[in-house]
Amino acid sequence: MASSILRFRKLCYVEPVNCFSDPKIKDPIGPSEALPKQRKQRKQGREWRCWDMCLPESPGLKLKDRGLSALHPVVLVPGIVTGGLELWEGRPCAEGLFRKRLWGGSFTEIFKRPLCWLEHLSLDNETGLDPPGIRVRAVPGLVAADYFSPGYFVWAVLIENLAKIGYEGKNLYMTAYDWRISFQNTEAHSLKFDSCCVKIDWASGVRDQALSRLKSKIELMFVTNGYKKVVVVPHSMGSLYFLHFLKWVEAPPPMGGGGGPGWCAKHIKTIMNIGPAFLGVPRAVSNIFSAEAKDIAFARSMAPGFLNSDMFGLQTLERVLRVSRTWDSVISLLPKGGETASSQANHSHPITNSSNGKLCFGVEDPIQFGRIISFGKDSSQLPSSQLKLNDVKELLQNRANQKESSCSGEVWTEYEDMSKESIQAIAENKAYTVKSYLDLLRFAAPGMMKRAEAHFSHGIAENLDDPKYSHYKYWSNPLETKLPDAPDMEIHCLYGVGIPTERSYVYKLSTSNKCKRIPFRIDDSANGNDGECLKSGVYFVDGDESVPVISTGYMCARGWRGKTRFNPSGSPTRIREYRHKAPANLFEGRGFESGAHVDILGNVAMIEDIMRVAAGEELGGDRIYSIF
Amino acid sequence: MLRHRKPKPQLEEHDEEEKKLKSEDPAPTSKKRWSCVDSCCWFIGLICSIWWLLLFLYNAMPASFPQYVTEAITGPLPDPPGVKLQKEGLKAKHPVVFVPGIVTGGLELWEGHHCADGLFRKRLWGGSFGELYKRPLCWVEHMSLDNETGLDPSGVRVRPVTGLVAADYFAPGYFVWAVLIANLARIGYEEKTMYMAAYDWRISFQNTEVRDQTLSRIKSNIELMVATNGGKKVVVIPHSMGVLYFLHFMKWVESPAPMGGGGGSDWCAKHIKAVMNIGGPFLGVPKAVTGLFSAEAKDVAVARALAPGFLDKDFFRLQTLLHVMRMTRTWDSTMSMIPKGGDVIWGGLDCNGANGRQCQAENFNYGRIVSFGKDVAEAESSKIERTDFRGAVKGNNFANGSCQDVWTEYQDMGIGGIKAVADYKVYTAGSILDLLHFIAPKMMKRGDAHFSYGIAENLDDPEYQHYKYWSNPLETRLPHAPEMEIYSMYGVGIPTERAYVYKLSPTTDCNIPFQIDTSADGDDDSCLQGGVFLVNGDETVPVLSAGYMCAKGWRGKTRFNPSGIPTYVREYDHAPPATLLEGRGTQSGAHVDIMGNFALIEDIIRVAAGATGEDLGGDQVYSDIFKWPKWTDLASQSDEQGHRPPIMRPELILAAIEDEMWQSGR
């Protein structure tokens, strides 16, 4: 059923049929000479069909009729989890899977050999790189992220529309990088520190050189397409990755790409960030903290006991937690900017307050959105004076002495090292803000945070001229880097609004305190009143279902707008928001006007915007529905 | 048992109804007892259940199960070369570049006509070829190129698949590069150190740059791989036509900018460690001639002999062969494989050219690539009556209108032209070109702009800077890179097409007027089989074409190889797979199956891990290629009287060759 719907939809995209207008009625847009001829063909070839009427015209054909054609080469940068991963070397249990997809595709291997699959997808806990004897690599080419799994498109719709106006392999490139590892690790991991200088240590092996490849590809496309600058289209975490690339490419080798200070200005026309997670997503915190987000919390309240029981002896959640904790890239999505840019424990930032007012009806809401994690519903609403806030740092120091590994078993989540007392102490602290959640995570997952903090930083810079900011760990944080000196390079933020998005969580202690249990979980019984934004232990604000508006839009709306310290050359920024509209009928599949984080890649208006920029047209100004 | 059980309850149910019915209409009820519907449903159910059971078992089967079975029957298999060398401690060192040959690379659709709806970014070529069966005419239309330009027809964009998937498997289960890739991965190769130089193999080499900038991409990728692997040079592995393509690339990359890549005269020396050609048709393949002449080769000819009338008929009104011919004639790249070097290399009327004689010697001249009639092929040249066809009036084809939309240039040719072609009786490598010009002028006009088939007299002549000479090893110099190595690796021991006996087709209205005379068979152990003369080779490319350049033409310091690039000939004797379980064999020497030959893979891995040709043991030869007559002898033997283009006259080039070719003393 689902596949047939998809096929209907596809037909509409391929057909040069104006879906809304009857063929006999005059085409409202651009009556060109070629039109009558086309109409003739149409009459002969196709009869009237239902789905022609109910689907909008594909933007590719619409713009082709208007005479647009491929001009600037396009680089797509996929986000987290959407890119495929394949096996290059594995343990005996993965025999026969050489160059087969472990991630993406039909995921059949999860069902056939789940433990083997998890083993191959996790990374080494110390280095954050491949465990010995295992090589899992990103799938290259457009197939890497056109469909995540059969029928679930990611980039495919955009690619198909771009192809309509003449894009093909030589001017369309999909950046393939291993989204599990930290950004600098996708380039090279071993630097040799000589007496004179730092060198890349070739002998000990390097990873994928994904950044070098991207640089070389952009340069090649620039040259072979008649010295036309590229348009980069990153999605979700890809925005952070590309931010990292912008800094990397201009930094001197060996840490950087050695492109020189004018590289970005010379090669890049526009960066069109789709649903960028510039300032992080709160979901990442709950993910690391207890491997659950809204979806899992809902599932738990629907079928209690299902996820909790040792089903098939698999300890599903614990294993997922263990695997995802080895993925450094998750850390890049933690909320950034501390209390200045986001919000504080005792007062919500005006931005967040107003946004929440639009979405949920209670304007006088007592919720403090700044508290990303609170223990108990009450503590999420109390004023801070009544809250008991311990210093988490003290706990942190105590932790070293509290090793108690009474639990044996193969699953390792770092929670096993923690004593009951310290778990209790965490829960007593009641509320964690954007600033202190980092301490909380350092406490809950010391191994992971130690690894990751060598690669990412989540602060906000006081003085950007400080030489320490030339280190690569600051490159992916927009609040701790300057944009490159490229006054003509445009930065667009395109994202959906109008969907409730997770912003903060109410936690409770897990009831069963035995071994191998994640001791914390979202309190799904915490529901607000009708007008409140609290549902099953999760507070919601405006956003695109995954990323709140503050993270997607703040940098383009404020942080980089005009000449600021983060944008010293004054690269122009633009905001394009797309209000979410759920698909009207079944034929629409995932919708043509969706604003959801991934489904927005099929949003007709957004695709049109991207194509117009790629074809060299100017977009209008900002288009804003939310608070900015 | 079961079958009896099923109808019973039904009988009971219907008992009462039947009684009622009997009283009214007794006739039909007696028949109903063994109604077919029940047994049919039951049978279908059984089939479905068994199908599901088997499917379930298949999916539940561990992946290594086939290997257990194989090992139980044949004893433990030898380690694949990757595992063996990994145990020896070899590690990935030099990045490798694969250059696939003709037809093995996948092609996908980027823009098409209405009939190709829903095929966006689906493979038209390679994969399962599902579309070929579903909509054959549409498929042919999209795979064909424009007849004038040799590029895409308007409104159609078919582009090569990129990445290793482009040519790892040609069709599901039919490997091309997959085995080599898997073995290289064992010693540590992965995507960043392996690169598939996929190109559109239908269009001429220079056009891949004009249209897709493929040559620039290959250059940029090689430079990137050298830079990101600590300055280690690449090992290039071209296969089949990829050999010629890479020859073209090496000239292109060093030529100055507008026509070439502007890499400078030391680009190859800086970036390439070795070129390991697998089954390279350096001097062309005779098969290409028959492909262009009558769209058939041995396989088609044999099929025709087995089932006469099948291919000739308007089967489903598809005119199969004509369509195939029309399509392949638009592919410029096929012209890159027309035999090169003329009569000097391939032999004239009365000499054999350079050949490995595998079967019994007999009174036959291999030089005659196309003969009309078996007796002509074997007669002495003085006894053959020939009338020149060049300049003959082609006449008009009366049946011009009735041939519908299929267009081959034969339709422009009348009976007079066809007869003139047949009356010339014998065509050698030199006159084949004239023949093709006569029967397919438009195609050859395109081809002449991109390829050349002669032997250069004076390589300093500025005319040789033109790109059309770059893929002909007899008209270019190798780049100045004395440390680079060139290998010729190919299979031997399989009969390979070398020359053909033709006849006129019985019906000449809409069909191709010529076809291979399948009735022409020699004696028992003769080389003539089904109208095809066979010599030693790898089933597609004769030893002459695959090995001659590395064995003679480039050996030592010659005028084609002024910097003395070391060359190595590595032959692999063909051994058919011992059992069915071996699949396509681990010791095969066949043109494509050699990609799974363990010995060849081992050689490649060793070189990629840093070995030189001397470390491999130098030449490895099974054929008698080194015993063949010197080039000069070949040239003086050749004495055809016909109108040979001056460039192919051996007298003129004799002196030059003699001076330079053999001064190294080999």
Side-chain angles (χ1 to χ4, degrees):
Chain A
M1 183 62 194
S3 69
S4 65
I5 290 168
L6 278 166
R7 197 168 300 152
F8 287 175
R9 169 155 192 210
K10 196 143 199 189
L11 272 168
C12 184
Y13 268 111
V14 175
E15 278 316 303
V17 179
N18 193 339
C19 298
F20 271 147
S21 63
D22 190 293
K24 283 164 199 158
I25 298 170
K26 190 75 181 154
D27 197 331
I29 316 148
S32 63
E33 296 88 14
L35 229 57
K37 194 181 153 200
Q38 267 192 354
R39 195 156 292 147
K40 220 178 205 175
Q41 285 176 348
R42 202 184 294 159
K43 258 187 183 169
Q44 290 169 351
R46 293 279 162 198
E47 288 147 39
W48 182 88
R49 288 186 184 180
C50 158
W51 51 86
D52 295 341
M53 288 299 288
C54 36
L55 303 184
E57 189 189 19
S58 95
L61 290 170
K62 185 175 150 195
L63 294 178
K64 193 185 175 190
D65 283 350
R66 275 176 49 192
L68 265 64
S69 64
L71 185 71
H72 296 280
V74 173
V75 176
L76 310 175
V77 187
I80 196 168
V81 308
T82 47
L85 300 172
E86 59 188 13
L87 185 75
W88 278 85
E89 187 183 341
R91 302 264 154 79
C93 72
E95 206 184 296
L97 294 183
F98 175 69
R99 287 186 58 221
K100 297 271 187 310
R101 280 200 184 199
L102 287 189
W103 188 270
S106 53
F107 283 101
T108 43
E109 295 311 318
I110 303 187
F111 305 114
K112 278 195 202 166
R113 27 192 158 176
L115 290 183
C116 181
W117 184 80
L118 282 175
E119 181 188 352
H120 283 80
L121 272 180
S122 36
L123 296 166
D124 189 280
N125 204 40
E126 296 294 317
T127 60
L129 294 164
D130 294 313
I134 290 178
R135 280 185 290 152
V136 174
R137 295 287 181 267
V139 177
L142 290 177
V143 286
D146 55 350
Y147 289 93
F148 176 59
S149 56
Y152 190 87
F153 72 84
V154 181
W155 293 95
V157 179
L158 180 60
I159 293 171
E160 198 167 332
N161 280 298
L162 283 170
K164 288 276 181 343
I165 60 167
Y167 280 93
E168 58 190 53
K170 69 175 173 185
N171 45 19
L172 186 60
Y173 175 68
M174 175 86 75
T175 315
Y177 63 98
D178 188 340
W179 48 262
R180 297 171 305 158
I181 62 182
S182 71
F183 301 158
Q184 190 69 9
N185 273 348
T186 61
E187 173 65 13
H189 70 263
S190 44
L191 293 179
K192 195 161 56 186
F193 293 92
D194 269 1
S195 52
C196 72
C197 41
V198 195
K199 279 180 183 161
I200 295 171
D201 186 4
W202 297 107
S204 70
V206 287
R207 251 312 284 253
D208 303 344
Q209 275 116 13
L211 296 171
S212 298
R213 281 155 170 259
L214 180 55
K215 174 175 177 244
S216 150
K217 273 281 164 345
I218 290 179
E219 285 168 354
L220 174 69
M221 289 207 293
F222 176 67
V223 172
T224 55
N225 287 288
Y227 299 94
K228 294 274 183 309
K229 296 183 194 175
V230 300
V231 171
V232 185
V233 188
H235 173 234
S236 182
M237 192 182 81
S239 302
L240 298 175
Y241 187 73
F242 198 73
L243 209 61
H244 187 95
F245 173 80
L246 287 181
K247 296 300 288 182
W248 173 87
V249 74
E250 299 205 339
M255 203 190 269
W263 196 93
C264 295
K266 187 179 164 198
H267 291 93
I268 299 175
K269 178 184 188 284
T270 310
I271 305 173
M272 308 199 75
N273 300 291
I274 304 174
F278 280 128
L279 300 181
V281 275
R283 191 185 247 186
V285 179
S286 67
N287 225 320
I288 294 171
F289 193 53
S290 62
E292 57 189 352
K294 193 185 69 186
D295 321 325
I296 289 182
F298 280 145
R300 183 173 269 151
S301 66
M302 299 280 286
F306 176 79
L307 280 169
N308 300 352
S309 57
D310 268 359
M311 242 238 306
F312 306 120
L314 285 182
Q315 300 172 301
T316 325
L317 265 189
E318 281 76 5
R319 280 182 201 279
V320 170
L321 181 59
R322 177 174 157 236
V323 170
S324 65
R325 274 206 183 168
T326 63
W327 295 347
D328 285 354
S329 62
V330 179
I331 309 285
S332 75
L333 293 173
L334 290 178
K336 287 167 191 167
E339 304 190 341
T340 324
S342 222
S343 41
Q344 291 181 359
N346 30 10
H347 74 87
S348 308
H349 197 273
I351 290 174
T352 35
N353 251 357
S354 56
S355 83
N356 112 54
K358 270 188 182 174
L359 202 75
C360 319
F361 303 105
V363 186
E364 310 273 316
D365 225 338
I367 310 147
Q368 309 292 334
F369 279 108
R371 298 170 193 168
I372 288 187
I373 287 179
S374 348
F375 280 91
K377 188 186 162 191
D378 315 337
S379 52
S380 71
Q381 297 175 355
L382 282 176
S384 63
S385 52
Q386 294 168 33
L387 269 183
K388 183 178 156 231
L389 290 171
N390 292 337
D391 195 354
V392 195
K393 294 217 167 86
E394 265 176 45
L395 284 171
L396 209 54
Q397 280 156 7
N398 294 340
R399 167 151 197 179
N401 322 326
Q402 292 173 337
K403 293 237 161 143
E404 177 196 287
S405 44
S406 57
C407 299
S408 57
E410 26 169 5
V411 180
W412 177 94
T413 60
E414 290 191 304
Y415 277 126
E416 289 151 37
D417 300 345
M418 266 164 74
S419 67
K420 277 180 190 162
E421 292 78 40
S422 50
I423 289 172
Q424 203 65 42
I426 285 187
E428 276 168 12
N429 196 25
K430 297 299 181 197
Y432 296 88
T433 65
V434 174
K435 195 178 181 191
S436 56
Y437 82 88
L438 278 174
D439 292 328
L440 171 67
L441 291 180
R442 276 184 206 122
F443 183 77
M448 176 189 197
M449 292 305 286
K450 192 179 151 210
R451 220 174 51 228
E453 295 205 314
H455 285 285
F456 298 105
S457 167
H458 301 91
I460 178 163
E462 306 271 301
N463 174 15
L464 276 166
D465 292 324
D466 191 331
K468 81 166 175 174
Y469 285 117
S470 63
H471 191 272
Y472 59 77
K473 77 174 184 179
Y474 299 104
W475 289 346
S476 61
N477 182 353
L479 298 173
E480 289 180 304
T481 44
K482 288 178 192 159
L483 285 181
D485 179 28
D488 292 336
M489 183 179 82
E490 290 177 33
I491 299 178
H492 295 205
C493 289
L494 307 99
Y495 52 90
V497 292
I499 310 183
T501 307
E502 298 165 52
R503 179 67 170 79
S504 55
Y505 303 89
V506 177
Y507 265 83
K508 67 174 181 187
L509 283 178
S510 184
T511 40
S512 66
N513 238 344
K514 64 175 185 182
C515 287
K516 299 178 194 167
R517 282 265 153 261
I518 298 170
F520 312 105
R521 71 180 34 160
I522 293 175
D523 182 4
D524 48 35
S525 65
N527 272 313
N529 307 325
D530 273 351
E532 271 185 66
C533 304
L534 179 62
K535 234 187 194 175
S536 296
V538 182
Y539 284 101
F540 292 100
V541 291
D542 195 5
D544 69 356
E545 198 167 23
S546 292
V547 189
V549 166
I550 176 146
S551 180
T552 46
Y554 185 78
M555 287 317 288
C556 282
R558 304 280 151 85
W560 288 330
R561 192 45 73 92
K563 274 199 187 188
T564 67
R565 61 188 181 128
F566 302 118
N567 181 10
S569 65
S571 306
T573 62
R574 188 155 296 159
I575 289 187
R576 306 285 288 180
E577 290 185 347
Y578 304 92
R579 184 177 285 293
H580 176 70
K581 210 166 141 193
N585 54 43
L586 257 175
F587 287 110
E588 286 189 16
R590 284 156 68 202
F592 301 113
E593 290 166 271
S594 176
H597 191 59
V598 175
D599 294 352
I600 197 176
L601 286 165
N603 185 311
V604 175
M606 193 204 70
I607 289 175
E608 197 181 318
D609 283 350
I610 291 178
M611 291 176 66
R612 280 174 57 201
V613 170
E617 274 195 6
E618 276 295 317
L619 288 185
D622 295 337
R623 196 172 83 169
I624 297 176
Y625 300 107
S626 74
I627 37 114
F628 291 114
Chain B
M1 260 288 278
L2 282 167
R3 192 173 295 177
H4 283 285
R5 219 200 294 164
K6 191 96 190 215
K8 240 184 181 176
Q10 216 215 1
L11 278 182
E12 288 162 9
E13 282 174 29
H14 289 284
D15 250 7
E16 292 176 5
E17 292 177 39
E18 280 178 24
K19 275 175 193 166
K20 282 180 197 166
L21 282 169
K22 248 177 203 169
S23 57
E24 293 164 11
D25 186 15
T29 43
S30 57
K31 282 178 195 166
K32 249 191 184 177
R33 299 209 169 193
W34 267 108
S35 98
C36 140
V37 177
D38 294 339
S39 10
C40 276
C41 288
W42 184 85
F43 186 68
I44 290 167
L46 180 77
I47 297 283
C48 289
S49 316
I50 290 177
W51 172 254
W52 281 108
L53 186 71
L54 286 176
L55 200 70
F56 176 76
L57 284 177
Y58 175 78
N59 276 309
M61 186 178 72
S64 50
F65 186 70
Q67 205 191 335
Y68 286 135
V69 175
T70 317
E71 288 191 1
I73 295 172
T74 60
L77 293 172
D79 270 348
V83 177
K84 180 180 149 199
L85 297 174
Q86 186 194 19
K87 284 177 189 157
E88 279 182 30
L90 263 62
K91 276 221 179 78
K93 191 174 173 197
H94 297 278
V96 294
V97 177
F98 308 117
V99 188
I102 198 168
V103 309
T104 49
L107 299 172
E108 60 189 12
L109 185 75
W110 277 84
E111 187 183 340
H113 293 151
H114 283 282
C115 66
D117 280 352
L119 293 183
F120 176 68
R121 283 185 58 224
K122 296 270 186 309
R123 280 198 184 200
L124 286 189
W125 188 270
S128 57
F129 284 98
E131 298 313 317
L132 176 54
Y133 304 113
K134 280 192 213 157
R135 23 192 159 175
L137 288 182
C138 181
W139 184 83
V140 167
E141 181 188 345
H142 282 80
M143 286 298 295
S144 305
L145 295 168
D146 187 276
N147 204 40
E148 297 291 322
T149 60
L151 294 169
D152 293 313
S154 66
V156 173
R157 278 186 294 150
V158 174
R159 295 286 178 269
V161 179
T162 54
L164 292 178
V165 286
D168 55 349
Y169 288 93
F170 175 58
Y174 191 88
F175 71 83
V176 181
W177 294 91
V179 178
L180 182 58
I181 292 171
N183 279 294
L184 282 168
R186 290 277 184 181
I187 66 162
Y189 279 93
E190 54 190 67
E191 201 82 44
K192 68 168 176 185
T193 40
M194 285 195 276
Y195 169 59
M196 180 74 75
Y199 57 98
D200 188 340
W201 46 262
R202 297 171 306 159
I203 61 181
S204 71
F205 302 157
Q206 191 69 11
N207 274 346
T208 61
E209 172 66 11
V210 173
R211 198 189 72 181
D212 300 338
Q213 280 91 31
T214 309
L215 296 171
S216 298
R217 285 152 164 259
I218 296 175
K219 174 173 176 249
S220 152
N221 264 305
I222 291 179
E223 283 168 355
L224 174 70
M225 286 208 289
V226 171
T228 55
N229 283 285
K232 296 194 188 69
K233 299 181 199 172
V234 299
V235 171
V236 185
I237 308 170
H239 173 234
S240 186
M241 194 182 78
V243 168
L244 300 176
Y245 189 70
F246 197 74
L247 216 56
H248 185 93
F249 172 81
M250 285 197 288
K251 293 302 289 182
W252 172 87
V253 75
E254 300 202 339
S255 300
M259 200 192 279
S265 61
D266 56 350
W267 195 93
C268 290
K270 267 197 218 155
H271 292 91
I272 301 175
K273 171 186 155 56
V275 184
M276 308 189 77
N277 303 296
I278 303 176
F282 285 107
L283 303 177
V285 278
K287 219 182 207 177
V289 175
T290 57
L292 294 171
F293 191 50
S294 63
E296 57 187 352
K298 198 181 71 186
D299 323 325
V300 173
V302 169
R304 183 174 266 153
L306 283 174
F310 176 80
L311 281 170
D312 298 328
K313 269 186 197 148
D314 267 1
F315 190 57
F316 300 126
R317 310 197 40 191
L318 286 183
Q319 302 169 302
T320 324
L321 267 187
L322 284 177
H323 278 289
V324 169
M325 182 160 195
R326 175 174 156 238
M327 181 173 75
T328 51
R329 276 206 182 167
T330 63
W331 294 348
D332 286 355
S333 63
T334 50
M335 284 179 276
S336 72
M337 296 199 291
I338 293 174
K340 288 166 190 168
D343 300 352
V344 179
I345 297 293
W346 293 91
L349 274 186
D350 284 322
C351 80
N352 284 323
N355 272 315
R357 281 257 171 128
Q358 208 199 5
C359 11
Q360 294 291 312
E362 56 189 279
N363 51 354
F364 161 69
N365 292 313
Y366 283 102
R368 302 170 188 175
I369 288 184
V370 170
S371 337
F372 279 88
K374 186 187 165 195
D375 44 339
V376 176
E378 294 173 355
E380 281 176 37
S381 62
S382 55
K383 290 183 185 162
I384 305 174
E385 283 178 36
R386 302 167 75 191
T387 19
D388 201 346
F389 66 95
R390 302 173 185 92
V393 183
K394 279 188 184 174
N396 285 320
N397 194 341
F398 311 117
N400 222 349
S402 65
C403 293
Q404 291 149 19
D405 52 341
V406 179
W407 179 94
T408 62
E409 289 184 72
Y410 280 126
Q411 284 159 18
D412 298 342
M413 225 161 106
I415 303 222
I418 292 166
K419 198 158 183 319
V421 167
D423 280 349
Y424 192 62
K425 304 283 188 205
V426 174
Y427 296 89
T428 62
S431 46
I432 277 283
L433 286 176
D434 299 328
L435 171 64
L436 291 175
H437 272 117
F438 184 72
I439 59 165
K442 282 184 190 156
M443 174 187 79
M444 290 307 285
K445 192 178 155 212
R446 264 184 0 245
D448 283 344
H450 287 285
F451 301 105
S452 170
Y453 312 101
I455 298 184
E457 288 168 59
N458 175 15
L459 278 166
D460 291 326
D461 193 328
E463 98 171 292
Y464 288 113
Q465 285 166 10
H466 192 269
Y467 59 77
K468 76 175 187 181
Y469 299 104
W470 288 347
S471 60
N472 182 357
L474 299 173
E475 289 179 304
T476 45
R477 290 198 182 107
L478 288 178
H480 184 78
E483 285 172 17
M484 194 173 95
E485 293 173 324
I486 295 182
Y487 296 79
S488 229
M489 315 163 85
Y490 53 92
V492 293
I494 310 182
T496 306
E497 298 166 48
R498 176 70 167 78
Y500 303 88
V501 177
Y502 264 85
K503 66 174 180 188
L504 286 175
S505 297
T507 55
T508 49
D509 50 348
C510 268
N511 278 335
I512 299 167
F514 311 104
Q515 68 186 49
I516 293 178
D517 183 4
T518 46
S519 63
D521 270 311
D523 306 329
D524 271 352
D525 49 357
S526 98
C527 301
L528 179 61
Q529 266 176 26
V532 182
F533 286 99
L534 302 166
V535 291
N536 195 3
D538 70 356
E539 199 167 18
T540 301
V541 184
V543 170
L544 162 69
S545 182
Y548 208 76
M549 286 317 288
C550 277
K552 304 263 159 113
W554 287 333
R555 194 44 75 90
K557 276 198 183 185
T558 69
R559 64 190 186 122
F560 301 118
N561 180 8
S563 61
I565 296 171
T567 61
Y568 302 96
V569 176
R570 305 280 296 173
E571 291 184 349
Y572 303 90
D573 208 7
H574 175 73
T579 65
L580 253 179
L581 290 165
E582 263 188 57
R584 286 154 68 199
T586 56
Q587 299 170 58
S588 175
H591 190 61
V592 176
D593 294 352
I594 198 173
M595 308 288 283
N597 186 313
F598 279 7
L600 173 122
I601 292 174
E602 192 179 325
D603 284 350
I604 290 177
I605 294 180
R606 281 187 193 282
V607 172
T612 65
E614 296 302 327
D615 298 338
L616 291 185
D619 295 325
Q620 168 182 294
V621 177
Y622 296 100
S623 74
D624 46 3
I625 188 166
F626 282 105
K627 294 180 204 134
W628 287 352
K630 291 177 185 173
W631 213 330
T632 45
D633 300 344
L634 289 178
S636 60
Q637 272 182 23
S638 174
D639 60 7
E640 197 199 358
Q641 303 293 319
H643 301 248
R644 197 187 299 126
I647 197 134
M648 288 170 195
R649 283 186 191 282
E651 309 87 78
L652 298 176
I653 55 171
L654 205 144
I657 292 178
E658 205 155 8
D659 285 345
E660 291 176 5
M661 214 55 204
W662 305 105
Q663 71 184 8
S664 61
R666 292 211 188 226

